[in-house]
Amino acid sequence: MVAFHPPVAPLFVPASRPDRFGKADTSGTDAVILDLEDAVVVADKERARDAVVAGSCKLSSATIVRINAAGTPWHAADLDAVRRLEGICIMLPKAENPQDIVNLKSRLGRDVPVIALVETALGLSRLPDILTADNVVMAAFGSVDFSLDIGCAHDRLALLAARSELVWRSRAAGHAAPLDGVTTNLSDSTATQEDARHAAELGFGGKMAVHPNQVEPILRSFLPCAAQVEWARKVLSVASTGEALKVDGEMVDRPVLERARKILGRADLPSASQVVGN
């Protein structure tokens, strides 16, 4: 199977707009999501598939293809198109049935990393089985569709329980921390950053973006700043002496050491070079 590196700020781009592929690729994102689903009207589905086949190989960023959901009229044709591509990851929307994920492998004839996009109450209820299905590498939260499905407001309090369950179940299954859903406000970068910080505090590993301007605020929220990196290095330096000491008034014990190691691990990610000095 293709090596998979969990993205922090993957950016959606409509697959029917190949003229935007290059802009998405140079936006600073660590993964481009070529979207064959919601961003593409029915009349453009076939043209969008052709654009994905022709354009995905030209991207320098990691490439994720969001196909149409199982059971839709376009699902099989999407898989036939994706089968022609190498080095990509599939995002499966409306992930509800583990068997749909198993069927991807048989249809494609090989192992391909799958991001299960949970967008319904049924999908969340079946999350343990979805996360253990073949080739699933992580979960993502389709918060807008989820709030529509259960009839709640699309706000932090209403979605807190669902978000927390995605995080702890992903951890229990041994997967990377999940991706949070999009911020629909495209005119206010502060809203994106605040939403991303909220997701990071809950334990998400990243957040999906729908506009290039959202990438940097998301990275800033999830990746460590220079002060955090300096603190982590100081902690590990103190620990190397073998003495029980304090750093900035905090006792250096095992959990503190692990937090420091994780911070430096995040700082080593390719995307971190954009924000670690801020």
Side-chain angles (χ1 to χ4, degrees):
M1 185 163 62
V2 175
F4 177 76
H5 303 285
V8 177
L11 173 62
F12 280 104
V13 59
S16 55
R17 295 296 305 271
D19 55 305
R20 296 183 182 178
F21 290 6
K23 183 178 181 180
D25 196 28
T26 58
S27 66
T29 184
D30 50 355
V32 173
I33 306 174
L34 301 179
D35 189 10
L36 290 168
E37 196 213 14
D38 285 349
V40 180
V41 298
V42 173
D44 289 340
K45 295 288 189 184
E46 183 174 356
R47 181 168 64 86
R49 284 187 213 103
D50 292 340
V52 167
V53 172
S56 63
C57 63
K58 301 175 183 178
L59 300 177
S60 59
S61 305
T63 304
I64 300 167
V65 180
R66 179 164 76 167
I67 61 176
N68 286 276
T72 66
W74 315 285
H75 181 73
D78 287 353
L79 291 180
D80 288 341
V82 168
R83 187 167 51 187
R84 299 159 60 185
L85 306 177
E86 297 292 338
I88 58 95
C89 175
I90 289 176
M91 178 176 284
L92 180 66
K94 304 296 188 298
E96 295 179 337
N97 187 350
Q99 187 60 44
D100 293 336
I101 300 170
V102 174
N103 292 343
L104 294 179
K105 180 177 179 179
S106 59
R107 181 84 186 201
L108 296 174
R110 69 181 194 274
D111 292 316
V112 176
V114 176
I115 298 174
L117 184 58
V118 177
E119 303 181 90
T120 64
L122 182 58
L124 187 64
S125 71
R126 293 176 173 172
L127 188 58
D129 293 330
I130 289 171
L131 289 172
T132 55
D134 281 353
N135 296 337
V136 169
V137 290
M138 72 184 309
F141 188 34
S143 56
V144 176
D145 281 306
F146 186 87
S147 62
L148 177 65
D149 183 53
I150 69 171
C152 76
H154 186 243
D155 64 30
R156 294 174 191 171
L157 181 59
L159 297 172
L160 177 59
R163 281 193 167 105
S164 293
E165 184 166 355
L166 275 164
V167 169
W168 69 259
R169 286 199 183 277
S170 293
R171 173 62 179 162
H175 287 312
L179 294 169
D180 194 23
V182 302
T183 294
T184 56
N185 185 340
L186 304 182
S187 61
D188 184 2
S189 62
T190 301
T192 299
Q193 186 160 327
E194 289 177 350
D195 284 349
R197 284 176 176 168
H198 173 68
E201 289 170 356
L202 291 177
F204 280 83
K207 177 179 172 65
M208 297 176 286
V210 288
H211 191 281
N213 291 342
Q214 295 181 326
V215 171
E216 194 276 337
I218 292 172
L219 290 174
R220 184 182 296 276
S221 299
F222 280 94
L223 296 177
C225 66
Q228 291 172 313
V229 171
E230 181 181 1
W231 172 87
R233 287 174 177 159
K234 186 186 298 184
V235 166
L236 294 180
S237 176
V238 166
S240 68
T241 67
E243 300 177 17
L245 300 175
K246 294 182 179 180
V247 172
D248 299 333
E250 183 178 16
M251 185 179 69
V252 177
D253 57 4
R254 185 188 59 79
V256 172
L257 286 173
E258 287 302 313
R259 186 164 81 245
R261 291 189 182 103
K262 286 184 178 181
I263 287 173
L264 292 184
R266 298 288 284 177
D268 285 338
L269 294 174
S271 303
S273 60
Q274 304 174 59
V275 296
V276 74
N278 293 322

